Amino acid sequence: MTGLSRRGVLAAGAAAASWGALPVSRARAQAANTIKIGVLNDQSGLYRDLSGPGSTACVRQAVQELGDLGFTVEVLQADHQNKPDVGSTIARQWIDRDGVDVIMDVPTSSVALAVNQVVKEKNKIMLNSGAAASDLTGSACTPNTIHWTYDTYMLARGTGGAMVRAGGDTWFFITADYAFGHALERDTAEFVRSAGGRVLGQVRTPFPGTTDFSSFLVQAQASRAKVIGLANAGGDTINSIKQAAEFGITRRGVKLAGLLVFITDVHALGLQTAQGLVLTETFYWDLNDRTRALTTRVRPNMPNNAPPSMVQAGCYSAALHYLKTVKEMGVAAAKADGAATVARMKAMPTEDDAFGAGSIRADGRKIHPAYLFEVKKPDEGRGAWDYYKLLQTVPADEAFRPLAAGGCSLVRS
Protein backbone atom coordinates (compact mmCIF):
# COMPACT_ATOMS: atom_id res chain seq x y z
CA MET A 1 0.00 0.00 0.00
CA THR A 2 2.86 2.41 0.67
CA GLY A 3 3.70 2.23 -3.03
CA LEU A 4 0.32 3.82 -3.82
CA SER A 5 1.33 7.15 -2.35
CA ARG A 6 1.18 10.03 -4.86
CA ARG A 7 -0.42 7.89 -7.55
CA GLY A 8 -3.68 7.53 -9.36
CA VAL A 9 -7.25 7.26 -8.34
CA LEU A 10 -8.09 4.34 -6.07
CA ALA A 11 -11.56 2.85 -5.90
CA ALA A 12 -12.69 2.29 -2.34
CA GLY A 13 -13.45 -1.36 -3.03
CA ALA A 14 -9.97 -1.99 -4.41
CA ALA A 15 -8.44 -0.34 -1.37
CA ALA A 16 -10.52 -2.47 0.97
CA ALA A 17 -9.57 -5.64 -0.91
CA SER A 18 -5.87 -4.78 -0.60
CA TRP A 19 -6.18 -4.22 3.13
CA GLY A 20 -7.92 -7.57 3.58
CA ALA A 21 -4.71 -9.33 2.56
CA LEU A 22 -2.70 -7.61 5.31
CA PRO A 23 -2.53 -8.46 8.99
CA VAL A 24 -5.09 -6.39 10.91
CA SER A 25 -2.46 -4.54 12.94
CA ARG A 26 -0.51 -3.59 9.85
CA ALA A 27 -3.66 -2.46 8.03
CA ARG A 28 -4.65 -0.28 10.98
CA ALA A 29 -1.21 1.28 11.19
CA GLN A 30 -1.24 1.96 7.50
CA ALA A 31 -4.71 3.55 7.68
CA ALA A 32 -3.55 5.76 10.54
CA ASN A 33 -0.70 7.08 8.38
CA THR A 34 -2.84 7.62 5.25
CA ILE A 35 -4.60 10.80 4.19
CA LYS A 36 -7.56 10.20 1.91
CA ILE A 37 -8.71 12.91 -0.50
CA GLY A 38 -12.09 12.53 -2.22
CA VAL A 39 -12.60 14.53 -5.41
CA LEU A 40 -16.37 14.92 -5.73
CA ASN A 41 -17.67 16.56 -8.89
CA ASP A 42 -19.50 16.22 -12.20
CA GLN A 43 -17.82 13.42 -14.12
CA SER A 44 -20.36 13.10 -16.93
CA GLY A 45 -22.60 16.15 -17.27
CA LEU A 46 -22.61 19.90 -17.91
CA TYR A 47 -19.55 20.63 -15.77
CA ARG A 48 -17.37 17.67 -16.72
CA ASP A 49 -14.93 19.64 -18.88
CA LEU A 50 -14.33 22.48 -16.43
CA SER A 51 -14.12 20.10 -13.44
CA GLY A 52 -14.44 16.32 -13.73
CA PRO A 53 -11.38 14.10 -14.30
CA GLY A 54 -9.22 17.19 -14.85
CA SER A 55 -9.70 18.21 -11.21
CA THR A 56 -8.52 14.77 -10.11
CA ALA A 57 -5.46 15.09 -12.34
CA CYS A 58 -4.62 18.43 -10.72
CA VAL A 59 -4.96 17.01 -7.20
CA ARG A 60 -2.64 14.16 -8.19
CA GLN A 61 -0.18 16.71 -9.58
CA ALA A 62 -0.02 18.47 -6.21
CA VAL A 63 0.58 15.17 -4.40
CA GLN A 64 3.34 14.24 -6.84
CA GLU A 65 5.12 17.58 -6.54
CA LEU A 66 5.32 17.39 -2.75
CA GLY A 67 7.37 14.20 -2.93
CA ASP A 68 7.97 12.17 0.22
CA LEU A 69 5.64 13.60 2.82
CA GLY A 70 6.22 10.89 5.41
CA PHE A 71 2.67 9.61 4.98
CA THR A 72 0.60 7.97 2.25
CA VAL A 73 -1.95 9.88 0.17
CA GLU A 74 -4.86 8.18 -1.57
CA VAL A 75 -7.08 10.00 -4.06
CA LEU A 76 -10.63 8.86 -4.79
CA GLN A 77 -13.14 10.37 -7.19
CA ALA A 78 -16.91 10.18 -7.63
CA ASP A 79 -19.69 11.70 -9.74
CA HIS A 80 -22.35 13.62 -7.80
CA GLN A 81 -24.47 13.99 -10.95
CA ASN A 82 -25.25 17.60 -9.93
CA LYS A 83 -27.74 16.28 -7.36
CA PRO A 84 -27.53 17.36 -3.70
CA ASP A 85 -28.89 14.07 -2.38
CA VAL A 86 -26.37 12.06 -4.38
CA GLY A 87 -23.51 14.34 -3.32
CA SER A 88 -24.36 14.24 0.37
CA THR A 89 -24.82 10.46 0.30
CA ILE A 90 -21.40 9.95 -1.31
CA ALA A 91 -19.84 12.33 1.23
CA ARG A 92 -21.30 10.37 4.16
CA GLN A 93 -20.21 7.02 2.73
CA TRP A 94 -16.72 8.30 2.03
CA ILE A 95 -16.33 9.60 5.58
CA ASP A 96 -18.09 6.81 7.49
CA ARG A 97 -17.04 3.78 5.41
CA ASP A 98 -13.88 4.75 3.55
CA GLY A 99 -12.19 7.10 6.00
CA VAL A 100 -11.96 10.10 3.67
CA ASP A 101 -10.43 13.12 5.42
CA VAL A 102 -11.09 15.91 2.94
CA ILE A 103 -13.60 16.36 0.10
CA MET A 104 -12.52 18.57 -2.77
CA ASP A 105 -13.91 20.45 -5.76
CA VAL A 106 -17.74 19.98 -5.46
CA PRO A 107 -19.10 22.17 -8.27
CA THR A 108 -22.85 22.87 -8.38
CA SER A 109 -23.69 25.14 -5.46
CA SER A 110 -26.71 23.17 -4.28
CA VAL A 111 -24.49 20.09 -3.92
CA ALA A 112 -21.74 22.09 -2.24
CA LEU A 113 -24.16 23.52 0.33
CA ALA A 114 -25.38 20.00 1.14
CA VAL A 115 -21.85 18.58 1.48
CA ASN A 116 -20.92 21.65 3.52
CA GLN A 117 -23.28 20.50 6.25
CA VAL A 118 -22.07 16.89 6.12
CA VAL A 119 -18.41 17.79 6.68
CA LYS A 120 -19.38 20.12 9.53
CA GLU A 121 -21.41 17.37 11.19
CA LYS A 122 -18.58 14.84 10.77
CA ASN A 123 -15.81 17.35 11.58
CA LYS A 124 -14.04 16.69 8.29
CA ILE A 125 -13.05 19.19 5.59
CA MET A 126 -14.37 20.55 2.31
CA LEU A 127 -11.99 22.48 0.06
CA ASN A 128 -14.38 23.85 -2.51
CA SER A 129 -13.06 24.96 -5.88
CA GLY A 130 -16.00 24.34 -8.21
CA ALA A 131 -19.08 25.91 -6.60
CA ALA A 132 -19.76 29.62 -6.92
CA ALA A 133 -22.33 30.58 -4.26
CA SER A 134 -20.84 33.25 -1.99
CA ASP A 135 -23.12 31.94 0.78
CA LEU A 136 -20.39 29.36 1.51
CA THR A 137 -18.45 32.17 3.20
CA GLY A 138 -21.58 34.05 4.26
CA SER A 139 -24.74 32.71 5.85
CA ALA A 140 -23.64 29.07 5.31
CA CYS A 141 -20.03 29.41 6.49
CA THR A 142 -18.63 26.71 8.77
CA PRO A 143 -15.23 26.13 10.44
CA ASN A 144 -14.75 23.07 8.20
CA THR A 145 -14.98 24.62 4.73
CA ILE A 146 -12.67 26.79 2.63
CA HIS A 147 -14.02 28.37 -0.56
CA TRP A 148 -10.97 28.42 -2.75
CA THR A 149 -11.14 29.70 -6.31
CA TYR A 150 -13.96 32.15 -7.09
CA ASP A 151 -17.50 33.07 -6.07
CA THR A 152 -20.58 34.92 -7.26
CA TYR A 153 -19.56 38.20 -5.60
CA MET A 154 -16.22 38.18 -7.42
CA LEU A 155 -17.89 37.41 -10.75
CA ALA A 156 -20.53 40.09 -10.24
CA ARG A 157 -17.95 42.69 -9.26
CA GLY A 158 -15.66 41.87 -12.17
CA THR A 159 -17.89 41.22 -15.18
CA GLY A 160 -21.07 42.93 -13.97
CA GLY A 161 -19.30 46.05 -12.80
CA ALA A 162 -17.32 46.33 -16.04
CA MET A 163 -20.46 46.05 -18.20
CA VAL A 164 -22.28 48.80 -16.28
CA ARG A 165 -19.29 51.11 -16.50
CA ALA A 166 -19.25 50.53 -20.26
CA GLY A 167 -22.85 51.76 -20.58
CA GLY A 168 -24.84 48.58 -20.01
CA ASP A 169 -27.23 50.10 -17.48
CA THR A 170 -30.34 47.97 -18.15
CA TRP A 171 -30.26 44.22 -17.57
CA PHE A 172 -32.35 41.09 -18.05
CA PHE A 173 -31.18 37.84 -16.44
CA ILE A 174 -31.40 34.30 -17.77
CA THR A 175 -30.80 32.35 -14.59
CA ALA A 176 -30.20 28.67 -13.86
CA ASP A 177 -32.87 27.74 -11.33
CA TYR A 178 -30.75 26.55 -8.40
CA ALA A 179 -28.59 28.01 -5.66
CA PHE A 180 -25.68 29.09 -7.88
CA GLY A 181 -27.83 30.89 -10.46
CA HIS A 182 -29.89 32.65 -7.81
CA ALA A 183 -26.75 33.82 -5.97
CA LEU A 184 -25.08 35.04 -9.16
CA GLU A 185 -28.19 36.95 -10.24
CA ARG A 186 -28.56 38.45 -6.76
CA ASP A 187 -24.94 39.59 -6.48
CA THR A 188 -24.81 41.01 -10.01
CA ALA A 189 -28.14 42.82 -9.64
CA GLU A 190 -26.79 44.52 -6.52
CA PHE A 191 -23.79 45.84 -8.47
CA VAL A 192 -26.01 46.98 -11.35
CA ARG A 193 -28.36 48.90 -9.05
CA SER A 194 -25.57 50.40 -6.94
CA ALA A 195 -24.03 51.77 -10.16
CA GLY A 196 -27.31 53.41 -11.15
CA GLY A 197 -28.53 50.70 -13.50
CA ARG A 198 -31.86 48.87 -13.60
CA VAL A 199 -32.91 45.23 -13.77
CA LEU A 200 -35.84 44.95 -16.19
CA GLY A 201 -36.64 41.30 -15.54
CA GLN A 202 -35.44 37.74 -15.22
CA VAL A 203 -36.42 34.24 -16.24
CA ARG A 204 -35.46 31.01 -14.48
CA THR A 205 -34.37 28.03 -16.58
CA PRO A 206 -34.68 24.38 -15.43
CA PHE A 207 -31.51 22.81 -14.05
CA PRO A 208 -30.63 20.32 -15.20
CA GLY A 209 -33.05 19.69 -18.02
CA THR A 210 -32.95 22.08 -20.95
CA THR A 211 -30.77 22.64 -24.00
CA ASP A 212 -33.22 24.96 -25.79
CA PHE A 213 -32.90 28.54 -24.61
CA SER A 214 -34.80 30.13 -27.50
CA SER A 215 -37.92 31.11 -25.55
CA PHE A 216 -35.82 32.58 -22.74
CA LEU A 217 -33.74 34.60 -25.19
CA VAL A 218 -36.90 35.90 -26.86
CA GLN A 219 -38.18 37.12 -23.48
CA ALA A 220 -34.86 38.77 -22.77
CA GLN A 221 -34.82 40.49 -26.15
CA ALA A 222 -38.42 41.68 -25.72
CA SER A 223 -37.42 43.49 -22.51
CA ARG A 224 -35.18 45.79 -24.59
CA ALA A 225 -32.46 45.53 -21.97
CA LYS A 226 -29.01 46.59 -23.14
CA VAL A 227 -27.42 43.58 -21.40
CA ILE A 228 -28.59 39.98 -21.10
CA GLY A 229 -26.93 38.51 -18.02
CA LEU A 230 -26.31 34.78 -18.27
CA ALA A 231 -26.41 33.55 -14.68
CA ASN A 232 -25.53 29.99 -15.65
CA ALA A 233 -22.44 27.91 -16.38
CA GLY A 234 -20.91 25.13 -18.42
CA GLY A 235 -23.11 23.61 -21.10
CA ASP A 236 -25.96 26.03 -20.28
CA THR A 237 -23.72 29.01 -20.99
CA ILE A 238 -22.42 27.46 -24.21
CA ASN A 239 -25.93 26.76 -25.49
CA SER A 240 -27.18 30.22 -24.49
CA ILE A 241 -24.39 32.00 -26.34
CA LYS A 242 -24.65 29.80 -29.43
CA GLN A 243 -28.40 30.32 -29.70
CA ALA A 244 -28.10 34.06 -29.08
CA ALA A 245 -25.66 34.20 -32.00
CA GLU A 246 -28.08 32.21 -34.19
CA PHE A 247 -30.87 34.70 -33.40
CA GLY A 248 -28.58 37.63 -34.21
CA ILE A 249 -29.20 39.19 -30.81
CA THR A 250 -25.76 40.73 -30.45
CA ARG A 251 -25.91 42.13 -34.00
CA ARG A 252 -28.81 44.28 -32.80
CA GLY A 253 -26.61 45.95 -30.21
CA VAL A 254 -27.54 43.85 -27.18
CA LYS A 255 -24.57 42.77 -25.06
CA LEU A 256 -24.25 39.28 -23.59
CA ALA A 257 -22.73 39.14 -20.11
CA GLY A 258 -21.38 35.66 -19.53
CA LEU A 259 -21.23 35.98 -15.76
CA LEU A 260 -19.44 32.67 -15.38
CA VAL A 261 -17.48 31.67 -18.45
CA PHE A 262 -14.63 29.17 -18.33
CA ILE A 263 -11.87 28.66 -20.85
CA THR A 264 -13.44 25.27 -21.65
CA ASP A 265 -16.61 27.11 -22.67
CA VAL A 266 -14.67 29.40 -24.99
CA HIS A 267 -12.95 26.37 -26.49
CA ALA A 268 -16.32 24.72 -27.14
CA LEU A 269 -17.75 27.91 -28.68
CA GLY A 270 -14.73 28.82 -30.81
CA LEU A 271 -13.35 32.33 -31.18
CA GLN A 272 -15.70 33.16 -34.05
CA THR A 273 -18.70 32.85 -31.69
CA ALA A 274 -17.07 33.84 -28.39
CA GLN A 275 -15.02 36.84 -29.59
CA GLY A 276 -15.55 40.00 -27.57
CA LEU A 277 -17.00 38.27 -24.50
CA VAL A 278 -15.86 39.93 -21.29
CA LEU A 279 -15.37 37.56 -18.37
CA THR A 280 -13.69 37.22 -15.01
CA GLU A 281 -11.41 34.38 -13.91
CA THR A 282 -8.77 33.92 -11.22
CA PHE A 283 -6.54 31.63 -13.29
CA TYR A 284 -5.50 31.56 -16.94
CA TRP A 285 -2.88 29.11 -18.13
CA ASP A 286 -1.03 31.78 -20.18
CA LEU A 287 -1.19 34.56 -17.58
CA ASN A 288 2.48 34.46 -16.49
CA ASP A 289 5.55 32.24 -16.27
CA ARG A 290 4.28 30.37 -13.21
CA THR A 291 0.87 29.52 -14.69
CA ARG A 292 2.57 28.38 -17.89
CA ALA A 293 4.98 26.19 -15.90
CA LEU A 294 2.13 24.56 -13.97
CA THR A 295 0.25 23.93 -17.19
CA THR A 296 3.30 22.29 -18.76
CA ARG A 297 3.61 19.92 -15.80
CA VAL A 298 -0.03 18.87 -15.52
CA ARG A 299 -1.18 18.98 -19.13
CA PRO A 300 0.05 15.49 -20.17
CA ASN A 301 -2.37 14.01 -17.60
CA MET A 302 -5.34 16.23 -18.44
CA PRO A 303 -8.28 15.03 -20.56
CA ASN A 304 -7.65 15.82 -24.24
CA ASN A 305 -4.35 17.46 -23.28
CA ALA A 306 -6.27 20.61 -22.29
CA PRO A 307 -4.81 23.27 -19.98
CA PRO A 308 -6.47 23.45 -16.56
CA SER A 309 -9.55 25.58 -15.98
CA MET A 310 -9.58 27.85 -12.95
CA VAL A 311 -11.61 25.21 -11.05
CA GLN A 312 -9.04 22.53 -11.82
CA ALA A 313 -6.16 24.85 -10.95
CA GLY A 314 -7.94 25.60 -7.68
CA CYS A 315 -7.97 21.89 -6.85
CA TYR A 316 -4.19 21.78 -7.37
CA SER A 317 -3.67 24.83 -5.17
CA ALA A 318 -6.00 23.65 -2.39
CA ALA A 319 -4.52 20.14 -2.27
CA LEU A 320 -1.00 21.56 -2.12
CA HIS A 321 -1.79 23.84 0.82
CA TYR A 322 -3.77 21.16 2.67
CA LEU A 323 -0.99 18.57 2.42
CA LYS A 324 1.64 21.10 3.52
CA THR A 325 -0.54 21.78 6.56
CA VAL A 326 -0.92 18.07 7.36
CA LYS A 327 2.84 17.62 7.16
CA GLU A 328 3.36 20.50 9.59
CA MET A 329 0.76 19.48 12.19
CA GLY A 330 1.05 15.69 11.83
CA VAL A 331 -1.26 13.09 10.32
CA ALA A 332 -2.89 12.02 13.58
CA ALA A 333 -3.85 15.56 14.57
CA ALA A 334 -5.07 16.42 11.08
CA LYS A 335 -7.23 13.32 10.81
CA ALA A 336 -8.67 13.77 14.31
CA ASP A 337 -10.01 17.31 13.91
CA GLY A 338 -11.04 18.81 10.60
CA ALA A 339 -11.90 22.21 12.06
CA ALA A 340 -8.49 22.46 13.73
CA THR A 341 -6.81 21.58 10.43
CA VAL A 342 -8.77 24.29 8.63
CA ALA A 343 -7.79 26.77 11.35
CA ARG A 344 -4.13 25.88 10.79
CA MET A 345 -4.60 26.30 7.02
CA LYS A 346 -6.02 29.78 7.63
CA ALA A 347 -3.02 30.69 9.75
CA MET A 348 -0.54 29.72 7.02
CA PRO A 349 0.03 31.92 3.95
CA THR A 350 -0.62 30.21 0.61
CA GLU A 351 1.87 30.06 -2.24
CA ASP A 352 1.69 28.15 -5.50
CA ASP A 353 2.08 28.44 -9.26
CA ALA A 354 -1.65 28.73 -9.90
CA PHE A 355 -2.41 31.88 -7.91
CA GLY A 356 0.90 33.05 -6.47
CA ALA A 357 0.86 34.36 -2.91
CA GLY A 358 -2.44 34.40 -1.04
CA SER A 359 -4.20 33.94 2.26
CA ILE A 360 -7.35 32.45 3.78
CA ARG A 361 -9.70 34.66 5.79
CA ALA A 362 -11.60 33.83 8.95
CA ASP A 363 -14.79 33.24 6.95
CA GLY A 364 -13.05 30.57 4.83
CA ARG A 365 -12.61 32.76 1.76
CA LYS A 366 -9.29 32.11 -0.06
CA ILE A 367 -7.95 35.46 -1.25
CA HIS A 368 -6.01 36.11 -4.46
CA PRO A 369 -6.30 38.49 -7.46
CA ALA A 370 -9.01 38.24 -10.10
CA TYR A 371 -8.63 39.15 -13.77
CA LEU A 372 -11.00 40.73 -16.27
CA PHE A 373 -10.40 39.22 -19.69
CA GLU A 374 -11.77 39.75 -23.18
CA VAL A 375 -11.98 36.85 -25.63
CA LYS A 376 -9.76 37.41 -28.64
CA LYS A 377 -10.90 37.72 -32.22
CA PRO A 378 -10.08 34.75 -34.46
CA ASP A 379 -7.19 36.58 -36.13
CA GLU A 380 -5.65 37.47 -32.75
CA GLY A 381 -5.23 33.92 -31.44
CA ARG A 382 -1.78 32.43 -31.89
CA GLY A 383 -2.90 28.82 -31.60
CA ALA A 384 -4.93 26.34 -29.61
CA TRP A 385 -6.17 27.69 -26.25
CA ASP A 386 -4.73 31.19 -26.86
CA TYR A 387 -8.05 32.85 -26.12
CA TYR A 388 -7.78 35.72 -23.63
CA LYS A 389 -6.37 39.21 -23.50
CA LEU A 390 -6.07 40.85 -20.09
CA LEU A 391 -8.14 43.99 -19.54
CA GLN A 392 -7.75 44.56 -15.81
CA THR A 393 -6.28 43.02 -12.68
CA VAL A 394 -8.41 43.26 -9.55
CA PRO A 395 -6.14 43.18 -6.47
CA ALA A 396 -6.67 40.41 -3.96
CA ASP A 397 -7.96 42.78 -1.27
CA GLU A 398 -10.63 44.12 -3.65
CA ALA A 399 -11.65 41.03 -5.63
CA PHE A 400 -13.89 39.42 -3.00
CA ARG A 401 -16.67 40.58 -0.71
CA PRO A 402 -15.46 42.54 2.35
CA LEU A 403 -15.05 40.28 5.36
CA ALA A 404 -17.59 42.12 7.49
CA ALA A 405 -20.26 42.17 4.76
CA GLY A 406 -20.92 38.44 4.40
CA GLY A 407 -22.73 37.69 7.64
CA CYS A 408 -20.47 34.74 8.49
CA SER A 409 -20.84 33.65 12.11
CA LEU A 410 -17.09 32.98 12.33
CA VAL A 411 -16.26 36.66 11.88
CA ARG A 412 -16.03 38.65 15.07
CA SER A 413 -17.81 42.01 14.90
Side-chain angles (χ1 to χ4, degrees), residues 190-330:
E190 288 178 1
F191 274 100
V192 170
R193 294 186 181 107
S194 66
R198 291 181 296 145
V199 176
L200 303 184
Q202 62 280 319
V203 63
R204 303 287 169 81
T205 65
F207 178 86
T210 186
T211 57
D212 184 0
F213 289 84
S214 57
S215 64
F216 310 122
L217 290 164
V218 168
Q219 291 180 61
Q221 189 174 12
S223 74
R224 299 192 177 183
K226 295 178 183 177
V227 179
I228 299 174
L230 301 178
N232 51 23
D236 284 353
T237 302
I238 293 168
N239 288 327
S240 300
I241 294 172
K242 283 182 177 178
Q243 290 167 33
E246 291 169 2
F247 291 170
I249 288 176
T250 55
R251 291 197 297 271
R252 299 185 183 99
V254 178
K255 298 290 186 182
L256 287 182
L259 297 172
L260 179 53
V261 177
F262 295 92
I263 192 169
T264 48
D265 302 330
V266 175
H267 185 71
L269 288 164
L271 293 183
Q272 186 63 45
T273 300
Q275 61 181 308
L277 274 174
V278 174
L279 54 95
T280 304
E281 297 217 47
T282 55
F283 172 87
Y284 174 47
W285 73 270
D286 201 22
L287 182 66
N288 55 47
D289 288 344
R290 295 186 72 178
T291 59
R292 286 187 286 271
L294 169 60
T295 300
T296 297
R297 296 195 301 271
V298 74
R299 198 165 179 176
N301 297 315
M302 294 291 288
N304 302 316
N305 197 40
S309 70
M310 72 168 167
V311 167
Q312 293 159 346
C315 288
Y316 162 84
S317 172
L320 201 71
H321 189 65
Y322 167 72
L323 291 171
K324 288 178 182 177
T325 305
V326 173
K327 184 175 182 179
E328 179 179 287
M329 66 188 297

Side-chain angles (χ1 to χ4, degrees), residues 135-146:
D135 293 342
L136 285 168
T137 55
S139 60
C141 75
T142 84
N144 298 79
T145 291
I146 298 176

Side-chain angles (χ1 to χ4, degrees), residues 9-16 74-76:
V9 177
L10 299 178
E74 294 182 14
V75 181
L76 298 83

Side-chain angles (χ1 to χ4, degrees), residues 1-2 4-12 14-16 18-19 30-31 33-39 59-60 63 71-77 98-102 323:
M1 287 290 291
T2 54
L4 293 173
S5 177
R6 303 179 306 280
R7 285 196 197 159
V9 177
L10 299 178
S18 298
W19 286 6
Q30 205 155 347
N33 199 44
T34 297
I35 289 292
K36 289 192 176 184
I37 299 174
V39 182
V59 170
R60 292 174 60 194
V63 178
F71 54 88
T72 299
V73 180
E74 294 182 14
V75 181
L76 298 83
Q77 67 180 18
D98 302 320
V100 166
D101 301 291
V102 57
L323 291 171

Side-chain angles (χ1 to χ4, degrees), residues 113 116-117 120 133-142 186 363 401 405-410:
L113 290 165
N116 187 49
Q117 292 305 308
K120 178 185 179 183
S134 58
D135 293 342
L136 285 168
T137 55
S139 60
C141 75
T142 84
R186 176 199 67 205
D363 60 354
R401 180 177 57 202
C408 173
S409 59
L410 302 174

Side-chain angles (χ1 to χ4, degrees), residues 367-389:
I367 300 297
H368 42 245
Y371 306 95
L372 188 68
F373 295 108
E374 181 179 333
V375 177
K376 292 181 176 182
K377 298 176 181 178
D379 60 359
E380 293 176 325
R382 297 167 297 175
W385 300 97
D386 177 29
Y387 296 153
Y388 293 169
K389 50 187 175 184

